[in-house]
Amino acid sequence: MEVPTKKELLVSKIKNGTVIDHIPAGRALAVLKVLKITGSEGLRVAVVLNVESKRIGKKDIVKIEDKEVSENEANLITLIAPTATINIIRDYEVVEKKQLKVPEVVKGILRCPNPHCITNNDVEATSVFKTVKVKPLKMRCEYCETEIDENDVIRQILGNPQT
Ligand code: CTP
Ligand code: ZN
């Protein structure tokens, strides 16, 4: 095996799984949240924060062993990390780089800001947002048509209270 360069020393390569690279600095924990990874699943996960990137200044990296993220999960990641590249790893090789695209529909992840919306008043209701525009991002609640923008989405996923 090659001697790793200084850049690679922080976290080693993985054998099988997913590497999410070029995440905007500081968003890695939000990526884990979108993937519903809390640590209690027992997956081996490496989270690298605020390392230098040639392309985007500083970046975060998430490496998840023995889990290949689905198309749907990859699309959710674009909501909060549009610059991310998702690499599927098998037997140490990158076998796929997923093309990220903003999902047309997002169920159950976002919350409608309208307090009168049925999704905020019926415990059985699940929020459904449809993408109206990709750039800049605009999504609309299926039930009450309230619209949210990219900042709303990021704030919600990063878990800011009262937003
Ligand atoms: N990687 C890993 N384990 C492997 C293979 C790759 O952790 N067995 C990581 C690399 O360290 C890198 C990412 O997966 O962070 C993508 O790998 P690769 O495509 O080889 O890197 P680049 O050519 O730099 O790709 P890109 O510029 O598209 O990010
Ligand atoms: Zn609503």
Side-chain angles (χ1 to χ4, degrees):
M1 234 168 96
E2 304 166 42
V3 177
T5 64
K6 195 163 171 249
K7 235 173 68 191
E8 291 167 326
L9 282 175
L10 194 53
V11 176
S12 58
K13 301 217 164 208
I14 61 170
K15 182 160 193 257
N16 294 298
T18 304
V19 175
I20 307 165
D21 200 353
H22 305 290
I23 301 167
R27 299 263 174 87
L29 299 177
V31 167
L32 291 178
K33 193 163 175 181
V34 166
L35 294 174
K36 300 197 165 78
I37 292 175
T38 63
S40 54
E41 305 77 16
L43 292 171
R44 290 219 313 178
V45 176
V47 178
V48 179
L49 303 177
N50 299 313
V51 292
E52 311 305 325
S53 157
K54 278 186 218 115
R55 247 191 265 166
I56 58 167
K58 287 205 168 164
K59 67 172 182 180
D60 289 356
I61 308 168
V62 169
K63 301 191 181 193
I64 308 160
E65 272 189 344
D66 297 326
K67 175 187 162 76
E68 296 188 358
V69 305
S70 68
E71 220 59 45
N72 187 39
E73 288 171 322
N75 290 341
L76 286 176
I77 290 168
T78 49
L79 289 176
I80 48 159
T83 54
T85 48
I86 300 194
N87 304 275
I88 303 298
I89 314 290
R90 289 186 196 146
D91 203 15
Y92 291 105
E93 299 293 329
V94 176
V95 295
E96 187 186 351
K97 278 184 192 281
K98 282 188 190 286
Q99 196 62 47
L100 295 193
K101 70 179 201 319
V102 171
E104 280 165 31
V105 183
V106 173
K107 287 187 184 154
I109 299 228
L110 301 168
R111 192 173 49 72
C112 182
N114 169 11
H116 303 297
C117 179
I118 181 164
T119 59
N120 289 317
N121 293 285
D122 179 345
V123 287
E124 308 236 306
T126 303
S127 74
V128 178
F129 279 84
K130 287 208 166 152
T131 302
V132 181
K133 200 142 66 76
V134 171
K135 247 186 184 155
L137 184 67
K138 196 199 275 181
M139 308 194 75
R140 182 182 294 146
C141 174
E142 267 292 272
Y143 297 96
C144 72
E145 307 205 330
T146 297
E147 291 184 348
I148 58 176
D149 64 17
E150 186 163 349
N151 281 332
D152 298 323
V153 170
I154 288 170
R155 246 178 291 144
Q156 282 198 25
I157 294 175
L158 294 180
N160 247 3
Q162 312 303 318
T163 51

